């Protein structure tokens, strides 16, 4: 075998109080797609940030083409041939594709400091064409391009630095299903050109399709590196989680009641797609679909964050929900997917965060009744086991799991009939995950109707009474409890028409 | 056609045509070469200041202090002249003071990292106070004949200030399109963090832009002083910042940065000039001019927000 | 509700620093000017600070919510002139006062409608209003002052109760009410919440649009109220009233520790900031420093206050 283009040896990275990486080894060969897997918080992104020059490692060495290197910043890494493509693109949407690729590059500056636009357009077009983006006009402003084309521009930018190593962080997350294929074609083309690709993803199916090797991290430590042909999905999951998956999920021993708590009729998701379904009392209804399938939009519609046509019937009564306030009044609660942006106000105390949605109820007139707030907050601190010295601590200092419990708590405090949970365990460690699952299960047993939207298949399978699978804005299949496994679920979500047909 | 309508300059072109037609119908004296020349002539300083403001707004910033910088510069030039300094030297020194003011703004905004609105709000008062202070509160007048050239002279049969403005506009249009510095402005305004990742020094570019803005205001101030023939420190350029801001926004610039062109801004200035001129010719109260400027700012931000909204709406169509 | 327990020590420290600055200014001018340290001068200062103080109340809330209102001075003048013009039409003075207040609230409502409902940039919208309203003020009364109000009206701005000016008592009551409001009501939690993370407040089922709208209407109301008191104090409604008042108000607010990016601040701090500014201005006045030089000093103070916030690692 040829020489590795990149070796990372004994990489450790410590932050104050946390050891994010300890003694990680990683080798990368030219012309291979190397998947990097691990749960949230396993250290994947830290490792990639060390590699791409964002962080400096506390210990360990990085060798690029045999030379020991230390990148001070991402640009330096890029110049030396290591480029990273983030989940969220770093593009100038107001500029042309060509300029995005060659922004501020001396080689595009001619005599008297004049930028050579024709040269730039020409080379950019060549570069984009060479990775299969010939449909893209590089003179167009990026904001007029689709997501896949924007990704191609990002890749072209990386290649313009003659990248030997290309890191792709969840490259399919932003892409609609039909464009993932195109992205794979681009990746394969790059691989054939001898570029070494680090492919960071959660998606098993993709990894088995595109990767040559896989490395698994867990709790900041290297677990194993294997050729993809020598592992099974089950083994990978085991490596990532470190214990049997099923242990995470509580036993479901209750039967949801027959009463329909929520009925959705012809709820429009966009101009052409609408869905209808029912949610029963005490039921956990899982909604599964890959990004772009419309699960997130269902939550937004039900919670009044997005307008549109269709009927929402709550507890037998038609409900008009134009904003989150309306939804709250209908006893619908929503734990949003991004707790940092949508769930918690960081500098505020646990108590304030918990009481935020129900302040009117905790007030006498307009004046907040402090004793009632205290009572309420200690009640939820206790029942959800939020670990903090006291409830006046600002939520900023809590762990991810405890922050998530605060978000759940603030919505339980509204005494909802219907709880929409979206990605309830994103960025939460395994221990807290199990706790949150237990809470969800308990709530359902107490009669709460739960709509569970998650991209983590084991979670959906382990918790739900029923699962609705969405694909491109349509419900394509329904699984009863115990019927689904990951393979089937993913298959329904990705290729709805090949087998089984529609619901 | 659709592409034409999507252009950020589209509204301003349409407005200009409508307003021109309206005033032409209303007043016979409006539509003519003489009047057009007068409009250009009256707004020379604004054209020049607006170049700088375009760059500032492209960065996503705002500069409220330009009027006060104009006052300081014009007053200083008056002071230099009254001490018998040669008009050309006085003009250059004045421009130097404009640059200095720009450096003060740039330093606090780019390096101390205080929000531009606060810095320029503060310097708006500081520079104005200094202007009044050095003028002693009196009118600066009695400029020597040689100084009149900057505002009223002709070169190659063309008005000198107009020539200066045209040259500056050409230089900066070229610079924004063809220099790294110009492209960096667009990059920073479009996506600051990405610009930083691309190795662009955001602070340095910001500083330079404010210095250039100061330089341009300095030039405008010399022309202004020469043209008017007198300077009152407490009122010179009083509403300049607001008018120029309105011109940039109405000329298709986005207050969020990254979008806009000098050509569009120049149309915006022309539009403002036409409105002012038309209002005066139509003999309504001159006080309406200010009210209209304010209204135009609100109109411009409304259009701005609408365009941004339309753009984002395209994305919301996705199911993600 | 004790919102900021974890920051209590830090906050009381900044308040302490502000108090020390205030004390320093008081001592300095007492030494520099023989007229400074006297009951009558202090009462005079209190009498004159009312307009700035009234506007500083909603300004503090607006800046905490992460926005800014630059149109306060023009709203003040607009309300004052509306009131004056109505009076000239022969209406009862108190009806005119009501008209002035309503005019201010309508201006604030327009600000609020554009900023809250349509998410336009507060700075640009309020700059537009600043310019437009000031223009309208001149259009309405053609730049001449309106005076000749009845004696009963001058009570508001000129009457002293004992040694204390009546309007200063009103200001004090307003500050106490607002302080209570910002400590104890849920509306204040929403304001701090919006300043820290608007999305979370929206996702909590609270109408951010309504909160923001109310804040700008409040700003219009208080600006108008300031206009009424100013007209009463100066016995004349003028087109230039309230010019540049936003500088004093914003400086007082920011010196008072309210953070320029929102989320943090207090009315107690603003009150101390207010005292710093008015005593500074008074002292400079007594020493014969011109108003425009005072603006220079205030501008510098504003830069210092915000620059300091940045250095505090905020």
């Amino acid at each position: 075998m040829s020489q590795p283009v990149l070796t990372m040896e004994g990489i450790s990275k410590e932050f104050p109080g946390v050891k994010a990486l300890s003694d990680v080894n990683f080798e990368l060969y030219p012309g291979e797609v190397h998947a990097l897997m691990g749960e949230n918080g396993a250290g994947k992104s830290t490792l990639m940030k060390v590699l791409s020059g964002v962080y400096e490692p506390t210990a360990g060495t990085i060798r690029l083409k045999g030379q020991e290197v230390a990148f001070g910043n991402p640009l330096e890494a890029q110049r030396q041939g290591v480029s990273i493509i983030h989940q969220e693109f770093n593009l100038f949407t107001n500029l042309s594709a060509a300029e995005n690729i060659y922004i501020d590059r001396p080689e595009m500056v001619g005599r008297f400091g004049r930028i050579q636009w024709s040269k730039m357009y020409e080379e950019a077009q060549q570069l984009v064409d060479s990775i299969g983006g010939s449909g893209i006009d590089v003179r167009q402003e990026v904001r007029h391009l689709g997501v896949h084309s924007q990704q191609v521009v990002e890749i072209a930018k990386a290649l313009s630095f003659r990248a030997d190593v290309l890191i792709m962080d969840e490259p399919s997350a932003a892409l609609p299903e039909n464009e993932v294929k195109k992205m794979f074609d681009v990746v394969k083309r790059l691989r054939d050109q001898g570029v070494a690709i680090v492919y960071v993803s959660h998606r098993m199916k993709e990894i088995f399709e595109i990767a040559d090797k896989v490395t698994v991290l867990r709790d900041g430590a290297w677990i194993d590196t294997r050729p993809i042909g020598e592992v099974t999905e089950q083994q990978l999951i085991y490596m990532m989680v470190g214990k049997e998956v099923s242990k995470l999920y509580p036993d479901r021993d209750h039967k949801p009641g027959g009463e329909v708590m929520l009925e959705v009729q012809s709820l429009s998701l966009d101009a052409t797609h609408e869905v209808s379904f029912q949610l029963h009392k005490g039921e956990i209804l899982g909604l599964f679909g890959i990004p772009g399938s419309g699960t997130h939009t269902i939550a937004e519609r039900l919670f009044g964050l997005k307008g549109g046509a269709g009927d929402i019937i709550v507890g037998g009564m038609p409900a008009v929900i134009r904003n989150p306030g309306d939804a709250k009044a209908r006893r619908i609660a929503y734990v949003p997917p991004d707790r940092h942006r949508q769930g918690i106000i960081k500098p505020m105390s646990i108590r304030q965060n918990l009481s935020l949605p129900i302040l009117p109820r905790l007030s006498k007139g307009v004046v907040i009744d402090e004793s009632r707030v205290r009572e309420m907050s200690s009640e939820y601190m206790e029942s959800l086991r939020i670990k903090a010295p006291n409830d006046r601590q600002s939520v900023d200092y809590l762990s991810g799991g405890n922050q998530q419990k605060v978000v759940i708590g603030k919505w339980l405090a509204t005494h909802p009939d219907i709880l929409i949970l979206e990605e309830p365990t994103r960025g939460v460690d395994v221990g807290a995950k199990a706790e949150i699952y237990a809470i969800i299960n308990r709530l359902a047993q107490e009669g709460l109707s739960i709509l569970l939207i998650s991209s983590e298949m084991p979670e959906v399978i382990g918790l739900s009474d029923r699962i609705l699978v969405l694909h491109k804005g349509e419900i394509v299949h329904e699984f009863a409890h115990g019927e689904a496994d990951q393979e089937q679920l993913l298959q329904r979500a990705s290729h709805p028409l090949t087998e089984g047909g529609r619901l | 056609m659709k592409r034409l309508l999507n252009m950020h300059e589209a509204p301003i072109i349409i407005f200009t045509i409508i307003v021109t037609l309206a005033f032409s119908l209303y007043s016979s004296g409006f539509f003519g070469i003489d009047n057009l020349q007068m409009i250009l002539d009256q707004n020379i300083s604004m054209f020049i200041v607006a170049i700088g403001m375009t760059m500032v707004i492209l960065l996503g910033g705002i500069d409220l202090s330009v009027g006060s910088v104009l006052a300081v510069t014009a007053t200083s030039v008056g002071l230099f002249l009254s001490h018998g300094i040669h008009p050309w030297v006085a003009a250059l020194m004045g421009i130097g003071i404009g640059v200095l003011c720009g450096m003060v703004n740039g330093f606090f905004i780019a390096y101390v990292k205080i929000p531009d609105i606060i810095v320029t709000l503060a310097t708006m008062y500081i520079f104005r106070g200094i202007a009044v202070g050095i003028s002693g509160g009196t009118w600066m007048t009695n400029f020597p004949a040689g100084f009149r050239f900057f505002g009223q002279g002709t070169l190659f049969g063309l008005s000198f200030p107009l020539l200066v403005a045209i040259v500056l506009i050409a230089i900066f249009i070229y610079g924004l399109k063809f220099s790294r510095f110009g492209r960096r402005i667009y990059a920073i305004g479009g996506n600051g963090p990405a610009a930083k990742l691309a190795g662009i020094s955001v602070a340095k570019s910001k500083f330079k832009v404010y210095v250039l803005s100061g330089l341009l205001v300095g030039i405008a101030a010399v022309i202004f002083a020469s043209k008017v023939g007198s300077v009152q420190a407490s009122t010179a350029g009083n509403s300049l910042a607001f008018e120029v801001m309105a011109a940039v926004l109405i000329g298709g610039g986005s207050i969020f940065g990254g979008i806009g062109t000098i050509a569009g801004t120049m149309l915006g200035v022309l539009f403002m000039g036409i409105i002012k001129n038309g209002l005066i010719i139509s003999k309504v109260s001159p006080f309406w001019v200010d009210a209209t400027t304010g209204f135009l700012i609100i109109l411009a931000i409304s259009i701005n927000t609408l365009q941004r909204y339309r753009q984002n709406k395209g994305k919301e169509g996705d199911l993600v | 509700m004790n919102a900021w327990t974890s920051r209590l020590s830090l906050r009381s420290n900044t308040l302490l620093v502000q108090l020390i600055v205030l004390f320093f200014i008081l001592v300095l001018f007492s030494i520099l000017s023989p007229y400074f340290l006297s009951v009558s001068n202090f009462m005079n200062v209190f009498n004159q600070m009312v307009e700035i103080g009234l506007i500083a109340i909603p300004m503090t809330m607006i800046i905490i919510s992460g926005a800014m209102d630059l149109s306060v001075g023009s709203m003040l003048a607009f309300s004052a002139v509306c009131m004056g013009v109505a009076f000239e039409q022969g209406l009862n003075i108190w009806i005119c006062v009501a008209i002035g207040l309503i005019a201010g609230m309508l201006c604030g409502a327009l600000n609020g409608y554009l900023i809250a409902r349509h998410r336009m940039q507060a700075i640009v919208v309020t700059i537009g209003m600043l310019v437009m309203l000031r223009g309208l003020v001149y259009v309405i009364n053609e730049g001449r002052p309106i005076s000749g109000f009845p004696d009963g009206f001058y009570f508001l701005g000129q009457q002293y109760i004992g040694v204390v000016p009546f309007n200063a008592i009103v200001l004090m009551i307003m500050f106490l009410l607002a302080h209570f409001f910002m400590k104890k009501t849920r509306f204040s939690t929403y304001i701090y919440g919006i300043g820290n993370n608007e999305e979370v407040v929206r996702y909590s089922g609270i109408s951010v649009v309504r909160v923001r709208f109310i804040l700008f209407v409040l700003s219009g109301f208080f600006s108008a109220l300031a206009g009424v008191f100013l007209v009463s104090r100066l016995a004349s409604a003028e087109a230039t009233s309230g010019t540049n008042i936003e500088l004093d108000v914003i400086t007082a607010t920011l010196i008072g520790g309210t953070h320029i990016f929102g989320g943090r601040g207090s009315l107690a701090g603003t009150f101390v900031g207010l005292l710093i500014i008015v005593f500074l201005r008074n002292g400079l006045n007594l020493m014969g420093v011109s108003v425009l030089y005072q603006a220079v000093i205030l501008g510098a103070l504003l830069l210092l206050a915000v620059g300091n916030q940045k250095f505090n690692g905020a």
Side-chain angles (χ1 to χ4, degrees), chain C residues 75-89 91 95-104 106-107 133 136-137 140-141 146 149 231 237-238:
Chain C
M75 290 196 292
L76 182 157
F78 185 73
S79 314
V81 168
C82 281
M83 185 179 82
V85 170
F87 181 69
E88 283 186 329
Q89 306 300 313
L91 291 176
I95 293 177
C96 299
V97 168
I99 288 174
L101 294 180
I102 291 168
L106 285 177
C107 295
L133 287 178
L136 284 180
V137 164
I140 290 173
N141 85 335
I146 300 168
F149 297 100
V231 171
E238 286 172 37

Side-chain angles (χ1 to χ4, degrees), chain A residues 74-75 90-92 94-95 99 103-106 109 113-115 117 143 269-270 292-294 296-297 306 472-473, chain B residues 8 174 177-180 183-184 186-191 193-195 197-200 258-259 311 316-320:
Chain A
L75 188 69
N90 269 307
L91 292 172
F92 306 101
N94 58 330
L95 301 180
E99 197 167 9
I103 187 74
D104 208 45
R105 294 275 278 279
V109 180
R114 189 179 199 274
I115 288 175
W117 286 98
R143 68 195 148 107
L269 302 182
D270 60 13
S293 64
H296 176 61
T297 314
K306 197 174 172 181
K472 287 189 192 164
Chain B
H8 284 271
Y174 178 88
K177 178 75 185 168
F178 285 106
S179 76
R180 276 173 99 177
R183 301 321 294 173
R184 282 175 187 160
Y186 279 94
I188 293 168
N191 186 344
L197 272 178
I200 296 171
I259 292 170
Q311 240 173 63
E316 254 177 53
D318 299 340
L319 280 170
V320 179

Side-chain angles (χ1 to χ4, degrees), chain A residues 276 468-469 475-479 496 500-503:
Chain A
S276 304
L468 300 178
V469 182
I475 296 172
V476 292
H477 196 79
E478 177 175 335
F479 288 105
R502 293 164 199 249
L503 183 76

Side-chain angles (χ1 to χ4, degrees), chain A residues 89 91-101 124-125 128 133-156 174-176 179 182, chain B residues 311 314-315 318:
Chain A
F89 302 150
L91 292 172
F92 306 101
T93 52
N94 58 330
L95 301 180
S96 69
E99 197 167 9
N100 266 282
I101 298 171
Q125 193 71 56
V128 168
S134 42
I136 300 168
D137 175 8
V138 295
R139 288 163 194 258
Q140 251 201 328
E141 282 176 27
V142 164
R143 68 195 148 107
H144 299 306
L145 298 178
V147 190
H148 170 68
S149 302
Q150 293 193 354
Q151 195 172 43
V152 169
V153 173
E154 276 274 16
I155 295 171
L175 293 179
E179 303 214 313
K182 289 198 228 163
Chain B
Q311 240 173 63
K315 277 178 202 142
D318 299 340

